[in-house]
Amino acid sequence: MAAGSYPEQLLYHPEHGWARLDHELATLGISWFAQDALGEVVFFDPPQVGSAVVAGESYGEVESLKAISDLIAPLSGEVVEVNDALAVDSELINAEPYGAGWLIKIRFSNSGETDLLLGADAYEATLA
């Protein structure tokens, strides 16, 4: 992944999360900016499958050599899958934040919340 990359097909939350929409499902992760600021991620504490996440609220934590950071949900919904590969190799969050380093998948419950998220250009503008 190129430094400072922000794929156009994703929606971004100002707290550095992203969402990839696929009908009623959304894959969530953290942006290149967030993983770069954290440094080497050593642990991901996910929510349980079946639990609810609420837009704008914490749904888990990532721990790096620098800090422990809350993960802020860009959308509300029910957790339907957790990226179990991260339990074995949390470095995937750094190496492939938009690919194999995804965090959770949710069935989102309020499609109107997507209007509150940012496109890639708007998100990148917040980083300047």
Side-chain angles (χ1 to χ4, degrees), residues 5 11 15 18 27 42 49-50 64-65 71 83-84 91 106 123:
S5 174
L11 295 173
E15 293 294 326
W18 57 261
T27 302
V42 295
V49 170
S64 72
L65 296 177
L71 298 164
N83 188 349
D84 292 332
E91 164 115 356
I106 65 168
Y123 174 69

Side-chain angles (χ1 to χ4, degrees), residues 9-127:
Q9 70 273 26
L10 303 179
L11 295 173
Y12 298 86
H13 187 274
E15 293 294 326
H16 313 296
W18 57 261
R20 179 181 295 116
L21 308 181
D22 183 18
H23 303 287
E24 78 282 354
L25 296 179
T27 302
L28 308 183
I30 62 171
S31 70
W32 184 92
F33 177 86
Q35 69 77 31
D36 186 57
L38 283 167
E40 184 181 341
V41 175
V42 295
F43 182 72
F44 166 50
D45 183 21
Q48 291 187 340
V49 170
S51 65
V53 297
V54 177
E57 294 185 10
S58 175
Y59 67 88
E61 294 177 335
V62 287
E63 182 177 343
S64 72
L65 296 177
K66 293 181 181 180
I68 296 174
S69 297
D70 283 328
L71 298 164
I72 304 301
L75 299 167
S76 300
E78 178 188 350
V79 178
V80 295
E81 187 176 350
V82 170
N83 188 349
D84 292 332
L86 300 178
V88 176
D89 187 7
S90 59
E91 164 115 356
L92 288 171
I93 296 169
N94 296 109
E96 298 182 52
Y98 305 116
W102 63 274
L103 303 176
I104 65 171
K105 293 184 182 183
I106 65 168
R107 181 170 291 110
F108 61 97
S109 56
N110 184 348
S111 61
E113 290 175 346
T114 61
D115 295 339
L116 303 174
L117 300 178
L118 304 171
D121 290 340
Y123 174 69
E124 235 178 317
T126 69
L127 305 177

